[in-house]
Amino acid sequence: MTEDFRALGKRLSNWGRWDSDGRRDERGTTNLLTPERLVAAAGLVRDGKIFDLGIPFGPGGPQPGGGRINPVLLRAETGDDQNFPGAFHFADDYVFMPLQSASQWDGLAHVYYDELLYNGFPAADVGPHGARHLSIEHQAKGIAGRGVLLDVARHRDVDWLQAGEAIGPDELDAVAAAQHVEVRAGDIVAVRTGWRRKFLVEQDARSFMAGEPGLGLACCEWLREHDVAAVCSDNWAIEVLPGEVEGEVMPVHMVLIRDLGMTLGEILDFEELAGDCAADGRYEFFFAAPPIKFRRGLGSPVNPLAMK
Amino acid sequence: MTEDFRALGKRLSNWGRWDSDGRRDERGTTNLLTPERLVAAAGLVRDGKIFDLGIPFGPGGPQPGGGRINPVLLRAETGDDQNFPGAFHFADDYVFMPLQSASQWDGLAHVYYDELLYNGFPAADVGPHGARHLSIEHQAKGIAGRGVLLDVARHRDVDWLQAGEAIGPDELDAVAAAQHVEVRAGDIVAVRTGWRRKFLVEQDARSFMAGEPGLGLACCEWLREHDVAAVCSDNWAIEVLPGEVEGEVMPVHMVLIRDLGMTLGEILDFEELAGDCAADGRYEFFFAAPPIKFRRGLGSPVNPLAMK
Amino acid sequence: MTEDFRALGKRLSNWGRWDSDGRRDERGTTNLLTPERLVAAAGLVRDGKIFDLGIPFGPGGPQPGGGRINPVLLRAETGDDQNFPGAFHFADDYVFMPLQSASQWDGLAHVYYDELLYNGFPAADVGPHGARHLSIEHQAKGIAGRGVLLDVARHRDVDWLQAGEAIGPDELDAVAAAQHVEVRAGDIVAVRTGWRRKFLVEQDARSFMAGEPGLGLACCEWLREHDVAAVCSDNWAIEVLPGEVEGEVMPVHMVLIRDLGMTLGEILDFEELAGDCAADGRYEFFFAAPPIKFRRGLGSPVNPLAMK
Amino acid sequence: MTEDFRALGKRLSNWGRWDSDGRRDERGTTNLLTPERLVAAAGLVRDGKIFDLGIPFGPGGPQPGGGRINPVLLRAETGDDQNFPGAFHFADDYVFMPLQSASQWDGLAHVYYDELLYNGFPAADVGPHGARHLSIEHQAKGIAGRGVLLDVARHRDVDWLQAGEAIGPDELDAVAAAQHVEVRAGDIVAVRTGWRRKFLVEQDARSFMAGEPGLGLACCEWLREHDVAAVCSDNWAIEVLPGEVEGEVMPVHMVLIRDLGMTLGEILDFEELAGDCAADGRYEFFFAAPPIKFRRGLGSPVNPLAMK
């Protein structure tokens, strides 16, 4: 039986853990990205290979419309109809987009329940002017460290898991063992479900968003026990959808973001990276994914780099 | 006397240099970010210090209005007025912004003259639908490598240089020598003029944009000779403004972007990094600044990380 | 056999017709909205009934995504998180939308062929900065006059015509005759195909946009002979789609906008008005539909009023 | 001494006045736009003259930046880079704008105090998804009726009144008397302060927004006694700013919108109309200003037509 998500959240809570000098922490598990770990992680760049994990931003993305849309890019200048002295011409573009429309970090103010955000900040800290606390700006000096890919789809030998298929802690352990990689404190864990491949094959935004395979609620404890700094996936919500908890929406989000203070990376593309990891047998890498510093932002678009 | 910018551009041109297999290069000088250099650069992460070089995106930014505006952030969801089953609440934001409004990479389709873009692509490749070639997507696997800060303002012992003050190649050499740092092939060079500090002190967008200190035209040759992979600055256009060439606008942009194929990083904040470099005497670091992969985009917002 | 659209356009052309004092006309057929006709049209307001012909702007609109999207409304202020002295609270909203996404006027710079816009203005007058000539601003003092509804769907006794069904001049005459209404010079003609009803019933944006019933090419001559000031419809492009001319897209648009200089009103809702006209047998009314004065705009959202 | 704004609001309140069939009114004073009055107003169109009272929307508008910006127009299509079969080319534009940035109607959900909106709707009806009640959609069948211009600036024989100069009820009466026009129930009253002329002369958005001449609090009673259907002005907030009530912001807004349920028209341009009224001595006209039907919108851009 699934543990009550509130009880689980309370048991795994990181509230107060990184407070210091009377200042309440607004960074959460990325506090685990310590200087020592950064140095060690940089040492993983051995072959000079680099993989970009962000998807393209623009038309053709995974948003079917509704609450979120794909980024709309428009040009303010194309070089035409300009009358500068001399030879100069330039082109400029604008974008209108939900910060949560494509590859993204979910900040710690993105989700709450029972009127409290992570670390006890009141829900009212999020309002029409954005996040007064816990905004994505607090992740500005990151998110960089040791990345570990857990390729669940490959381990299951499928192109992708199906919507509604939950991944449990045992499977994460089994995948890691099969890949000969250890998940350590301060790691950024990337879980490949194949959901991005499904989109690349089907080009069907509606189907991509209708549900997804992903982490089950029990993985929250696994992530906490391993003291993971951040978790990311190639699906759009990290967690299995429809979820496992009757009558609750996004329980994994609620526990990870609100109780653990964990920043989530969504709608990433691990296809090229996964192929390389399978080829060279090395599933660890240096991971650098700086969010854009949106003032009071609830999240940020991102293009993470994995370097081996 | 200043060399004619066209003659200079032709002399320094990288057109054709990285073409291969009959495929015309669309990446330019970031081709110099080779695997070997990436590995070596990662080795510069020794203390685990990390500096974020992006400025905040939102109101209060450096755009006074006109062709570009500061990013406008709005909330689609705040957690209020939601009726999910159970406890879940979430908040989501949208942004409307010029991709060139704050910390940014200028892609290679951003500037042209004489109807040609970098590597001979026709100007018509940039139009209402964006850049058919040379879009910022071609920089997706980057921009990461060895970064070197040249702190011109500190070397001159001023808070900031004045608008219209040009920096020449000799001064770049002098700064590097004084800092005991060598600029090598494949480096990402960061030039600090103090112009960001000026903005932080004065909070005057109009004055920030009215002109700036920056690289003079002769620095193009210096950047080419050193085979620099990218150049960035704390001003908004890399180059001195008003410029040195009578009757021409942005000659350094024209030569660097269009002739050398060099990606430019603008409106960065080196204040904290510069303080640290001065303190520990180490002006080199690992630099990772992935652009967001905007389809056919002319540039990208960015938050570069400098890691030491 | 359908006449060649270029020949037809040339034959019906209004180019030069309203030029005066050496100034080339930028207003087109709305020049037919003369003071005398305005006075007469206002006299049609006899019962004090008023009908709004614009559709709602926002989510749930007829755009399935792609080149155009439904208007996205977001709140900058909701009254929360404000600290004015005293009691004051206010709410403010932003919109991001294509000007052609819902009920709209197509301005005269919206369409061209053979490198020329209406009245011989060069196509290059439309560019990244909008329309240098023929912008929607030229319709600012309008569009107001005598409106006539031609309810083709009711005349055929169907809920709606099918996509691809063309309406011809004879049918327009037959509908007018059956309705006992005469179309006169300077009228604004509203053609009801039932396509809006289809959308209201089916709520299927994709189907709404996939094609439509509408005016056939021969109606261009009818509109010119009657010297109509503007034409509008409840479909999204006035004309039948797929169209009647092999190898050409939107031939009616090309002839009406580019050759006749006729402003088109699209995606209107005549449902309530049509019911009233059928009930009282009066298919003429005062029509007032001022466009918003978008600088250099190619069109404008609109909410036309029909008053009887 | 100025009456307490709450007492005044309570005394003048229209709450409940137009409720019917157990349905709480959401339209307010535009209920006064009755069929009889519409017919009579249309009779004012005698000469066929037409005046557009909206200002241009786009760059160069009156917003200096900050909470509101001028409309940003961008092109999605310019006709370039299109490959339709045949001859067709088209151009399309997008706009991003605050609905309150230029000529606009303030809807009844725009302002509240003491946690209540007009007619007792709770403030919580306005939230991140817009206005659940009292949205601008309720004004869709309007706003049309008899318009009366009160040209205060001309009456004072000045180009414009100064910021902070309040207009009182006696002055409104004096202006009407001097103009030989009577304000009647159901009228739309347009108050000209000259503030638009100031902007046209000075082109200084900061100065335009820093304060303004306008209606004093006592005018609320005058507007209620005359049973005016709507009030509009050439300034940006109808009321004098800084206001007359110590410690309160926008007291006239609070009483008119929240207590009277009056829709306000702001940032209009009466310059041409005023010249004509002075010339022919006729200050009454048919006024038609349909708002765009923004779903749950708090206001709407508008281009009112005055017809004589």
Side-chain angles (χ1 to χ4, degrees):
Chain A
M1 206 200 91
T2 313
E3 183 177 358
D4 174 74
F5 84 91
R6 280 185 181 85
L8 180 69
K10 194 162 187 182
R11 193 156 60 77
L12 306 182
S13 171
N14 281 319
W15 291 21
R17 179 174 172 189
W18 294 289
D19 294 357
S20 67
D21 305 327
R23 211 185 120 274
R24 258 201 286 179
D25 173 58
E26 305 189 42
R27 217 185 147 194
T29 53
T30 58
N31 278 292
L32 297 164
L33 299 167
T34 60
E36 297 71 28
R37 287 168 180 156
L38 183 67
V39 174
L44 297 170
V45 187
R46 294 176 202 158
D47 305 314
K49 292 189 281 195
I50 193 159
F51 305 90
D52 57 305
L53 310 182
I55 69 162
F57 281 58
Q63 301 297 337
R68 295 172 183 166
I69 60 172
N70 289 313
V72 178
L73 284 156
L74 297 164
R75 259 54 52 182
E77 300 285 345
T78 63
D80 288 338
D81 197 20
Q82 293 174 344
N83 290 299
F84 295 105
F88 183 69
H89 288 269
F90 81 108
D92 252 32
D93 31 27
Y94 273 68
V95 70
F96 178 74
M97 67 173 175
L99 295 185
Q100 289 82 6
S101 60
S103 300
Q104 100 216 229
W105 284 120
D106 277 356
L108 299 186
H110 178 52
V111 161
Y112 68 86
Y113 68 88
D114 293 353
E115 293 305 312
L116 292 179
L117 300 158
Y118 166 68
N119 215 4
F121 288 101
D125 275 356
V126 178
H129 307 137
R132 202 181 299 153
H133 287 107
L134 304 173
S135 83
I136 196 67
E137 299 165 278
H138 292 280
Q139 309 299 344
K141 286 181 189 304
I143 295 169
R146 179 176 181 252
V148 170
L149 177 70
L150 298 180
D151 191 342
V152 180
R154 184 173 300 258
H155 187 251
R156 290 200 191 184
D157 198 21
V158 296
D159 277 342
W160 55 83
L161 282 66
Q162 298 301 313
E165 285 192 271
I167 299 166
D170 290 351
E171 186 166 20
L172 294 181
D173 284 331
V175 172
Q179 292 178 176
H180 307 293
V181 70
E182 188 191 4
V183 174
R184 302 180 199 140
D187 278 357
I188 296 139
V189 171
V191 180
R192 183 170 172 276
T193 69
W195 209 239
R196 173 66 183 165
R197 176 169 297 179
K198 173 187 150 82
F199 181 78
L200 291 171
V201 168
E202 299 182 350
Q203 296 291 332
D204 183 340
R206 243 164 264 275
S207 173
F208 181 79
M209 283 288 163
E212 63 178 32
L215 299 189
L217 191 62
C219 290
C220 297
E221 182 149 14
W222 188 93
L223 291 166
R224 178 71 172 80
E225 277 172 359
H226 288 80
D227 246 351
V228 159
V231 63
C232 53
S233 184
D234 57 351
N235 61 15
W236 60 273
I238 300 289
E239 67 190 282
V240 61
L241 294 172
E244 304 157 308
V245 184
E246 185 77 24
E248 296 292 343
V249 173
M250 301 265 176
V252 176
H253 263 69
M254 291 198 279
V255 171
L256 289 185
I257 293 181
R258 192 264 208 181
D259 294 315
L260 273 74
M262 189 171 289
T263 302
L264 312 184
E266 296 163 345
I267 314 183
L268 301 185
D269 185 330
F270 304 137
E271 296 309 290
E272 187 188 11
L273 173 65
D276 187 80
C277 293
D280 73 2
R282 197 150 71 89
Y283 283 85
E284 60 177 3
F285 40 84
F286 185 46
F287 179 96
I292 305 297
K293 295 163 68 173
F294 286 108
R295 275 188 196 278
R296 295 182 150 227
L298 304 160
S300 173
V302 73
N303 177 24
L305 299 183
M307 293 168 270
K308 294 173 73 170
Chain B
M1 208 199 91
T2 314
E3 184 177 357
D4 174 74
F5 84 92
R6 281 185 180 84
L8 180 69
K10 193 162 189 184
R11 194 156 58 78
L12 306 182
S13 170
N14 280 319
W15 291 20
R17 179 174 172 190
W18 295 288
D19 295 356
S20 67
D21 304 327
R23 208 183 120 277
R24 255 201 289 178
D25 173 59
E26 305 190 41
R27 214 183 150 197
T29 53
T30 57
N31 279 290
L32 297 164
L33 299 167
T34 60
E36 298 71 29
R37 285 169 181 156
L38 183 67
V39 173
L44 297 171
V45 187
R46 294 176 200 157
D47 305 313
K49 291 188 283 195
I50 193 159
F51 304 90
D52 56 305
L53 310 183
I55 69 162
F57 280 58
Q63 300 298 339
R68 295 172 183 166
I69 61 172
N70 289 312
V72 179
L73 284 156
L74 297 163
R75 258 56 51 180
E77 299 286 346
T78 63
D80 289 338
D81 197 20
Q82 292 175 345
N83 291 299
F84 295 105
F88 183 68
H89 288 269
F90 82 108
D92 251 32
D93 30 28
Y94 273 68
V95 70
F96 178 74
M97 66 174 176
L99 295 185
Q100 290 80 5
S101 61
S103 299
Q104 102 219 226
W105 284 121
D106 277 356
L108 299 187
H110 178 51
V111 161
Y112 69 86
Y113 68 87
D114 293 353
E115 293 305 313
L116 293 179
L117 300 157
Y118 167 69
N119 216 6
F121 287 100
D125 275 356
V126 179
H129 307 137
R132 201 181 301 153
H133 287 108
L134 305 173
S135 84
I136 197 69
E137 299 165 279
H138 292 279
Q139 309 300 342
K141 286 181 189 304
I143 296 171
R146 179 178 181 251
V148 169
L149 177 69
L150 298 180
D151 191 342
V152 179
R154 184 174 300 258
H155 187 252
R156 288 200 193 184
D157 198 21
V158 296
D159 278 342
W160 56 83
L161 281 67
Q162 299 301 312
E165 285 192 89
I167 298 166
D170 290 351
E171 186 166 20
L172 294 181
D173 285 332
V175 172
Q179 292 179 176
H180 306 293
V181 69
E182 190 190 2
V183 173
R184 302 179 199 140
D187 279 357
I188 296 139
V189 172
V191 180
R192 184 171 171 273
T193 68
W195 207 240
R196 174 66 182 167
R197 176 169 295 177
K198 173 188 150 81
F199 181 77
L200 291 171
V201 168
E202 298 182 350
Q203 297 289 333
D204 183 342
R206 241 164 265 275
S207 172
F208 181 79
M209 283 289 163
E212 63 178 32
L215 299 188
L217 191 62
C219 290
C220 297
E221 181 148 17
W222 188 94
L223 291 165
R224 178 69 174 81
E225 278 173 0
H226 287 81
D227 245 350
V228 159
V231 63
C232 53
S233 184
D234 57 351
N235 61 17
W236 59 272
I238 301 288
E239 68 191 279
V240 62
L241 295 173
E244 303 158 309
V245 183
E246 186 75 26
E248 294 292 344
V249 172
M250 300 267 177
V252 175
H253 263 68
M254 291 197 281
V255 172
L256 290 185
I257 292 180
R258 192 263 206 184
D259 294 314
L260 273 73
M262 188 171 289
T263 302
L264 313 184
E266 295 163 345
I267 316 185
L268 301 184
D269 185 329
F270 304 136
E271 296 309 290
E272 187 188 11
L273 173 65
D276 186 81
C277 293
D280 73 2
R282 197 150 71 90
Y283 283 86
E284 60 177 3
F285 40 84
F286 185 43
F287 179 97
I292 306 297
K293 294 161 68 173
F294 287 108
R295 273 188 197 279
R296 294 184 149 224
L298 305 160
S300 173
V302 73
N303 176 26
L305 299 182
M307 293 167 271
K308 294 173 75 170
Chain C
M1 206 201 91
T2 313
E3 183 177 357
D4 174 73
F5 84 92
R6 281 186 180 83
L8 180 69
K10 193 164 187 182
R11 194 156 58 78
L12 306 182
S13 170
N14 280 319
W15 291 20
R17 179 174 173 190
W18 295 289
D19 294 355
S20 69
D21 304 328
R23 209 184 122 275
R24 258 201 287 177
D25 173 58
E26 305 189 41
R27 215 185 148 196
T29 54
T30 59
N31 278 291
L32 297 163
L33 299 166
T34 60
E36 298 70 29
R37 287 168 180 156
L38 183 67
V39 173
L44 297 171
V45 187
R46 295 176 201 157
D47 304 315
K49 291 189 282 196
I50 191 159
F51 304 91
D52 55 305
L53 310 182
I55 69 162
F57 280 58
Q63 300 298 336
R68 294 173 184 166
I69 59 172
N70 289 312
V72 179
L73 283 156
L74 298 163
R75 260 53 54 178
E77 300 285 344
T78 63
D80 289 338
D81 196 20
Q82 293 175 343
N83 291 298
F84 294 106
F88 182 69
H89 288 269
F90 81 108
D92 252 32
D93 31 27
Y94 273 67
V95 71
F96 178 73
M97 67 174 175
L99 295 184
Q100 289 81 7
S101 60
S103 300
Q104 101 217 227
W105 284 121
D106 278 355
L108 300 186
H110 178 52
V111 162
Y112 69 86
Y113 68 87
D114 293 353
E115 292 305 312
L116 292 179
L117 300 158
Y118 167 68
N119 216 3
F121 288 101
D125 275 355
V126 178
H129 308 137
R132 201 181 300 154
H133 287 107
L134 304 173
S135 84
I136 197 67
E137 299 164 278
H138 292 280
Q139 308 299 343
K141 286 181 190 303
I143 294 170
R146 179 178 182 253
V148 170
L149 177 70
L150 298 179
D151 191 344
V152 179
R154 183 173 302 258
H155 188 250
R156 290 200 192 184
D157 198 21
V158 295
D159 279 341
W160 56 82
L161 281 66
Q162 298 301 312
E165 285 192 271
I167 299 165
D170 290 350
E171 186 166 21
L172 294 181
D173 284 332
V175 173
Q179 292 179 176
H180 307 293
V181 70
E182 188 191 4
V183 173
R184 302 181 199 139
D187 279 357
I188 295 138
V189 172
V191 180
R192 183 172 172 274
T193 68
W195 208 240
R196 173 66 182 165
R197 176 169 295 179
K198 174 187 150 81
F199 181 78
L200 291 171
V201 168
E202 299 183 350
Q203 297 290 333
D204 183 341
R206 241 164 266 275
S207 172
F208 182 79
M209 283 289 163
E212 62 178 32
L215 299 188
L217 191 62
C219 290
C220 297
E221 182 148 17
W222 188 94
L223 291 166
R224 177 69 173 81
E225 277 172 0
H226 288 81
D227 245 350
V228 159
V231 63
C232 52
S233 185
D234 58 351
N235 60 16
W236 60 272
I238 301 289
E239 68 191 280
V240 61
L241 294 173
E244 303 158 309
V245 184
E246 185 76 25
E248 295 291 344
V249 173
M250 300 267 175
V252 176
H253 263 68
M254 290 197 281
V255 171
L256 290 185
I257 293 181
R258 191 263 208 183
D259 295 315
L260 273 74
M262 189 171 290
T263 302
L264 312 183
E266 296 163 345
I267 315 184
L268 301 185
D269 185 330
F270 304 136
E271 296 309 291
E272 186 188 12
L273 173 66
D276 187 81
C277 293
D280 73 1
R282 196 149 71 88
Y283 283 85
E284 60 177 1
F285 41 84
F286 185 45
F287 180 96
I292 306 297
K293 295 162 67 173
F294 287 107
R295 274 187 196 281
R296 297 183 147 224
L298 304 161
S300 172
V302 73
N303 176 25
L305 300 181
M307 293 167 271
K308 294 174 74 171
Chain D
M1 206 200 91
T2 314
E3 184 177 357
D4 174 73
F5 85 92
R6 281 185 181 83
L8 179 69
K10 193 162 190 184
R11 194 156 59 78
L12 306 182
S13 171
N14 280 320
W15 291 20
R17 179 174 173 189
W18 294 289
D19 294 357
S20 69
D21 304 328
R23 208 183 120 279
R24 257 200 289 177
D25 173 59
E26 305 190 41
R27 214 185 149 195
T29 53
T30 57
N31 279 291
L32 297 164
L33 298 167
T34 61
E36 299 72 27
R37 286 169 180 155
L38 183 67
V39 173
L44 296 171
V45 187
R46 295 177 200 155
D47 305 314
K49 291 188 283 196
I50 193 159
F51 305 91
D52 56 306
L53 311 183
I55 70 164
F57 280 57
Q63 301 297 338
R68 295 172 184 166
I69 60 171
N70 289 313
V72 178
L73 284 157
L74 297 164
R75 258 57 51 182
E77 299 287 346
T78 63
D80 288 338
D81 196 21
Q82 293 175 344
N83 290 299
F84 295 106
F88 183 68
H89 288 268
F90 81 109
D92 251 32
D93 31 26
Y94 272 68
V95 70
F96 178 74
M97 67 173 175
L99 295 185
Q100 290 81 6
S101 61
S103 299
Q104 101 216 228
W105 284 121
D106 278 356
L108 299 187
H110 179 52
V111 161
Y112 70 86
Y113 68 87
D114 293 353
E115 292 305 312
L116 293 178
L117 299 157
Y118 167 68
N119 216 6
F121 287 100
D125 275 356
V126 179
H129 308 138
R132 201 181 301 155
H133 287 106
L134 304 173
S135 83
I136 196 69
E137 298 164 278
H138 292 279
Q139 309 300 342
K141 285 180 189 303
I143 295 170
R146 178 177 182 252
V148 170
L149 176 70
L150 298 179
D151 191 343
V152 179
R154 184 174 300 258
H155 187 251
R156 288 200 192 183
D157 199 20
V158 295
D159 278 342
W160 56 81
L161 281 67
Q162 298 302 312
E165 284 192 270
I167 298 166
D170 290 352
E171 186 166 21
L172 294 181
D173 284 332
V175 172
Q179 292 179 177
H180 306 292
V181 70
E182 189 191 1
V183 173
R184 302 179 199 140
D187 279 357
I188 296 139
V189 172
V191 180
R192 183 171 172 274
T193 68
W195 208 240
R196 173 66 182 166
R197 176 169 296 179
K198 174 188 150 81
F199 181 78
L200 291 171
V201 169
E202 299 182 350
Q203 296 290 332
D204 183 342
R206 242 163 264 277
S207 172
F208 181 79
M209 282 289 162
E212 62 177 33
L215 298 188
L217 191 62
C219 289
C220 297
E221 182 148 17
W222 187 94
L223 291 165
R224 177 69 173 80
E225 278 173 358
H226 288 80
D227 245 351
V228 159
V231 63
C232 53
S233 184
D234 58 350
N235 61 16
W236 59 273
I238 300 288
E239 69 191 280
V240 60
L241 294 173
E244 303 158 310
V245 183
E246 184 77 25
E248 294 292 345
V249 172
M250 300 265 176
V252 175
H253 263 69
M254 290 198 281
V255 171
L256 290 184
I257 293 181
R258 192 264 206 182
D259 295 314
L260 273 73
M262 188 170 289
T263 302
L264 313 184
E266 295 163 345
I267 315 185
L268 301 185
D269 185 330
F270 304 137
E271 295 310 291
E272 187 188 11
L273 173 66
D276 186 80
C277 293
D280 73 1
R282 196 149 72 90
Y283 283 85
E284 60 177 4
F285 40 84
F286 185 44
F287 179 97
I292 305 298
K293 294 163 67 173
F294 287 108
R295 273 187 197 280
R296 295 184 149 223
L298 305 160
S300 172
V302 73
N303 176 26
L305 298 183
M307 293 167 271
K308 295 175 74 170

